[in-house]
């Protein structure tokens, strides 16, 4: 009986791919609770909301920590069901020092430390968000996420070089515009570090408008820089698109060739991205 | 004679692919009328125009509703021509509860309800725009529209993940800039929800300039965030482009060649993406 | 002798692909003159420059018109060298009514009409720019320009649909933001037509900052609209990229298959974009 | 012994692909020193930092020049190890007039000239950055950088044409908006050259907000121009993406399969872009 409960607890809290209905309910509940924690942390920085709904925020915090604590204790208790954490003490201790369990602990510990007035670790509540990574553990979105991750991994070098090129363009643009504008607008373009801000805002095409060239030279240079920027900032888009196509095509295909020696057909696999 | 008129009315109002000249004229007229309704609804929100040309707007509204009502009545009357709406009463009632007929009704009903001073449902006139969907029912653009729809459907998961990634970046950016700026500009970056607005405007590279970081930390962080944003916001572009190429190539072709040596035909498949 | 001069004049002014050195010099000179005319027209709108350098601008105008007139007269005179404009009168008249000759005439006529104080047609000088189209007649860039033109032509339907989609998004965004903001900022978001301007500036990610949502609802809606805008405005980029790849691959390739009936190889052409 | 030292000095300062540990340390140190020089040059333009930390900047400058001088002297001294600079005098002189050596000299010379108060050539310190090119001489990033360079080289014509097209759009936009706005805002849109600045800022979607159309005509034209701009500025992205895909696929592969029926090998080519 005791073992059966432990087994079911373990399965509920460590869902696998063939998850049952209850798994989904519990996991969905925990994920929604984490997302609500995210919303609460964000909203609580708004002074008006924080003072008007102080009790609500506090109660929700207590409730969340209570649920997370129960979940944590149940996980540690039921982990002995797994072969590698079999021992009632060492197994549990070893489980407690896995990354997953440490993250879960870090998510609730600040609350208790805050209660005993040791530290004000309220900001550490943001660590609860790390638990959101569990979303990826389950869903069928795993495969698509893998594709995106592969694109960034396979094209890492090209992306890095395009980062170097854009950084170079930003620095060159800053130097040019600094020399063109620093006499006309000494308070705004008074140094290259200050002009760097203008370069980033302009080349990323954000254009806040807090720093704008006013000299003719500065405007002509900005025109040329903006044109170059369009080509350079198209590089990451091009690299990522090419990477996607590569990933999508990495599907095996079967080809049939006729052997010229005996005239019989041969089936052989050819990767589509050959 | 009566039947012939009904048949022709039905055909005129339910054009098929092999549409005749009159079909085109009537359909073109109705579509232009709907577009003019759209323009009228938009322009009427401009107080100056609304008061100066009140009569014009009202007359056009009456005219449109009259045409739409006549079309609706003719459709309901002639629907019995179709086998499945054959019965003179039940067939027509069943036709009136199809989506197409309900949309047509909703487009004219607010006018009559407004006339009898029951409700002020003028805003519901926007529902007439739903009728624009009929454009897609006819034209040869259907195939191209299908390609675009397929791209969004087939790449839905990747697009959703890139949405999650950009949302994550927006939230992280808000937290970072909030901590960097909220002491220097408490009225603008006073809370994370307020900084979220800045994140969206910056990462979508809109850059209104109503909220601009002024601290050195904030500016450096913005630079890094903007660079990351370029790569992350290139994801949807890459996914959509890859999807387009997939769609365009999804046509398998069979080729048949005649062997010049023996004169017999050879069938061989050529994959569209070879 | 007379004929030889006419022949050489004709060849010099109608260069073909195998152009000689003198052709290049003359053509380069004419093209540079047209570009300088463009610069002059642009600079002359600057009042300060126009008054300070009035004589320079006028002299350059007279000089340009003189050169263009001489060229025009020589073209008309030497056109009889070509078989289809053989007749000394009708041939020349027919040549004068070809598009090329009419454009050349339109480029110089305003000057003469302005001299006799009939009309002030100075703005028509911009028509001289049409002559720049001749650049495409000569250069090896013709092939690359053709590729770009093909991309726009082949993907026309998809581009039109993405235009319809973005237009739809712009209108929907205007309606939503109008309802969210028109009470808070009645002078800026006072009507849907005025809000349309905001939509275009925001969705094209220009973001001048002259109109910025200030209500919470407006900001949240803007966030959603901006995200949707990123996906929708990625459509043209995707379509154009896919079109480019199609164009580039439209190169024939030779494949060799072994006939299964007789065992001999067959060469057959397969278009690379199969 | 003397020769052995020279040989090792030469190898350390001219690392090849199979670089040893010491090569890496020395090269890494030099590259970091160059990057720190870049940072120092940028920061020194900030007046506050320059005055407060004048000594630090000067000392770092002396230190850098000392290291670079030592490196330069060692290079010139050890170059005779190479066959083509064998002669103790002419070999060294010839080496000193290679591009690499001249750049190294230019990087340190301004300091010495500045010391003897001949010229104030402090800005020439920026030339030290040219030495950063050596990063590319070594690393495995060379291949990826080559891919990016190839993309720009192979697609040069198309990129140039898209530059011409966007320039054309910018000029047309300037003319249109100048005619629409110059009476309403004579101080801002008072001439086409001034409006050119607006066109660049708008079409590159920077949108500083220093110049904004206010007339209805100007706003409608801006809407149309912005839409056209999205399509035109998607061209470079499309061209670069297509170029990337071409580069990645430009690897022809030969496959050899053993026929299972007769045991003989069959060679067949597989085009990389199949």
């Amino acid at each position: 009986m005791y073992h059966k409960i432990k087994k079911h607890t373990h399965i509920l809290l460590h869902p696998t791919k063939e998850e049952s209905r209850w798994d989904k309910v519990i996991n969905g509940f925990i994920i929604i609770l984490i997302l609500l924690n995210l919303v609460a942390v964000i909203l609580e920085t708004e002074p008006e909301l924080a003072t008007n709904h102080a009790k609500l925020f506090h109660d929700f915090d207590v409730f969340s920590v209570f649920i997370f604590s129960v979940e944590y204790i149940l996980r540690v208790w039921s982990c002995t069901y797994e072969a590698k954490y079999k021992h009632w003490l060492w197994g549990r201790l070893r489980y407690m020092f896995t990354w997953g369990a440490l993250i879960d602990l870090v998510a609730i510990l600040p609350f208790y430390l805050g209660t005993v007035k040791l530290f004000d670790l309220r900001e550490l509540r943001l660590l609860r968000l790390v638990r959101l990574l569990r979303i990826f553990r389950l869903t069928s979105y795993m495969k698509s996420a893998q594709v995106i991750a592969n694109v960034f991994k396979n094209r890492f070098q090209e992306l890095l070089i395009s980062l170097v090129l854009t950084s170079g363009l930003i620095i060159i643009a800053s130097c040019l515009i600094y020399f063109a504008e620093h006499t006309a607008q000494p308070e705004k373009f008074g140094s290259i570090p200050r002009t760097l801000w203008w370069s980033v805002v302009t080349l990323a095409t954000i254009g806040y408008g807090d720093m704008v060239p006013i000299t003719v030279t500065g405007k002509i240079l900005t025109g040329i820089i903006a044109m170059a920027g369009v080509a350079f900032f198209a590089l990451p888009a091009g690299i990522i698109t090419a990477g996607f196509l590569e990933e999508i095509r990495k599907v095996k295909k079967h080809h049939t060739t006729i052997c010229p020696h005996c005239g019989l057909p041969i089936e052989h696999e050819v990767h589509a991205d050959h």
Side-chain angles (χ1 to χ4, degrees), chain A residues 2-20:
Chain A
Y2 172 81
H3 265 281
K4 216 173 165 186
I5 293 171
K6 200 197 276 184
K7 182 189 162 185
H8 280 293
T9 312
H10 185 78
I11 289 171
L12 279 178
L13 298 172
H14 293 81
T16 50
K17 273 202 176 158
E18 308 84 33
E19 54 186 16
S20 70

Side-chain angles (χ1 to χ4, degrees), chain A residues 168-183:
Chain A
L169 186 62
I170 284 169
I171 289 167
I172 291 165
S174 300
C175 295
L176 290 175
I177 298 298
Y178 164 70
F179 285 116
E181 293 286 328
H182 80 291
T183 46

Side-chain angles (χ1 to χ4, degrees), chain A residues 93-231:
Chain A
L93 273 176
R94 247 190 305 136
Y95 176 78
M96 282 167 77
F97 282 92
T98 56
W99 276 109
L102 281 175
I103 284 168
D104 287 357
L105 185 63
V106 157
I108 49 174
L109 212 58
F111 178 83
Y112 295 112
L113 295 178
T115 313
V116 295
K117 310 277 174 203
L118 280 177
F119 312 99
D120 185 18
L121 296 164
R122 294 177 61 81
E123 260 80 36
L124 281 175
R125 277 182 306 161
L126 278 169
L127 288 167
R128 286 181 201 163
L129 301 179
V130 184
R131 306 190 76 208
L132 278 173
L133 292 173
R134 68 163 60 188
I135 294 174
F136 291 103
R137 208 163 54 194
L138 305 168
T139 65
S140 63
Y141 288 96
M142 200 59 212
K143 224 182 89 187
S144 297
Q146 191 62 46
V147 167
I148 290 176
N150 277 348
V151 167
F152 278 104
K153 207 175 67 189
N154 293 345
R155 300 277 140 228
F156 179 72
Q157 281 203 345
E158 273 103 348
L159 285 173
L160 200 71
I161 287 168
S162 76
L163 183 67
V164 168
L165 286 175
T166 46
S167 304
L169 186 62
I170 284 169
I171 289 167
I172 291 165
S174 300
C175 295
L176 290 175
I177 298 298
Y178 164 70
F179 285 116
E181 293 286 328
H182 80 291
T183 46
Q185 305 187 74
E187 77 294 345
K188 282 185 174 171
F189 292 85
S191 70
I192 294 181
R194 288 182 211 173
T195 316
L196 270 172
W197 170 245
W198 171 86
S199 288
V200 169
V201 169
T202 298
L203 282 167
T205 74
I206 297 170
Y208 287 126
D210 56 340
M211 286 171 79
V212 180
I214 51 168
T215 65
V216 173
T217 325
K219 285 182 173 182
I220 292 169
L221 285 172
T222 304
I224 297 164
I225 291 162
M227 292 307 230
V230 167

Side-chain angles (χ1 to χ4, degrees), chain A residues 29 33-42 44 50 53-70 106-116 119-129 131:
Chain A
F29 174 70
L33 197 62
I34 296 169
L35 286 173
L36 285 176
N37 266 274
L38 169 62
V39 172
V41 170
I42 286 174
E44 212 175 346
H53 304 280
K55 200 172 148 36
L56 183 70
F57 280 114
H58 181 257
D59 288 357
F60 178 70
D61 201 27
V62 170
F63 173 72
S64 307
V65 169
F66 174 70
I67 298 285
F68 292 153
S69 303
V70 167
V106 157
I108 49 174
L109 212 58
F111 178 83
Y112 295 112
L113 295 178
T115 313
V116 295
F119 312 99
D120 185 18
L121 296 164
R122 294 177 61 81
E123 260 80 36
L124 281 175
R125 277 182 306 161
L126 278 169
L127 288 167
R128 286 181 201 163
L129 301 179
R131 306 190 76 208

Side-chain angles (χ1 to χ4, degrees), chain A residues 81-92:
Chain A
Y81 172 76
E82 265 188 82
K84 56 178 170 171
Y85 305 122
K86 212 175 175 182
H87 193 277
W88 70 273
L89 180 61
W90 306 124
R92 282 189 175 123

